[in-house]
Amino acid sequence: MYIQGFLIAVPEGNKNAYREQAEKAAAKFHEYGVTEIVEAWEEDISDGKVTDFRKATKAEKGEKIVFSWMIWPDKATADAAHAKMEDDSFWQEEMSEMAFDGMRMMWGGFTPILTSGRN
């Protein structure tokens, strides 16, 4: 199992547009082999004294935080998917205008060291 995590600040008024884009992207990632995708819209985020989700994304007034992740069977499948993205016109045609500022998006890949519950 390999997990990619994302943290994004999205203008509150773009919630529906973001969800629609996420749905289109999810369908494509499933074609590439992802097994699960979760897109979670901010419900309850506290301001931290040192750091927090808002500071991490440089969220501006009126923006909500989206915390999301994709679960892949393994890193090789995720890497192959990213290679496919380079040649897939879907990303330029369908996803050229994002509902958020991609410059402030954070992401990374993780190998689980503990899982509990849903498998």
Side-chain angles (χ1 to χ4, degrees), residues 8-74:
I8 308 161
V10 180
E12 189 168 7
N14 289 357
K15 183 177 183 179
N16 289 333
Y18 178 82
R19 188 185 184 294
E20 289 172 8
Q21 286 181 328
E23 196 170 357
K24 287 180 186 178
K28 184 57 76 170
F29 283 120
H30 281 289
E31 287 178 23
Y32 294 159
V34 76
T35 58
E36 182 177 345
I37 298 174
V38 175
E39 297 280 352
W41 189 263
E42 173 187 340
E43 182 70 29
D44 182 16
I45 292 181
S46 299
D47 293 334
K49 291 183 180 184
V50 177
T51 192
D52 58 40
F53 286 107
R54 294 192 179 292
K55 290 179 181 91
T57 58
K58 295 186 178 182
E60 299 172 0
K61 185 176 181 176
E63 290 184 324
K64 295 291 188 174
I65 305 303
V66 172
F67 175 52
S68 64
W69 61 91
M70 297 191 298
I71 300 176
W72 298 89
D74 49 46

Side-chain angles (χ1 to χ4, degrees), residues 20 30 34 36 40-41 43 60 65 70 74 79 82 85 87-88 92 95 97-98 100 106-107 109:
E20 289 172 8
H30 281 289
V34 76
E36 182 177 345
W41 189 263
E43 182 70 29
E60 299 172 0
I65 305 303
M70 297 191 298
D74 49 46
D79 289 345
H82 289 279
M85 289 175 70
D87 297 324
D88 192 334
Q92 289 76 36
M95 306 300 278
E97 292 190 34
M98 303 304 289
F100 61 93
M106 294 187 295
W107 72 91

Side-chain angles (χ1 to χ4, degrees), residues 100-119:
F100 61 93
D101 178 3
M103 297 296 289
R104 292 183 286 138
M105 179 171 107
M106 294 187 295
W107 72 91
F110 303 86
T111 300
I113 60 170
L114 172 73
T115 60
S116 178
R118 185 175 61 195
N119 287 328

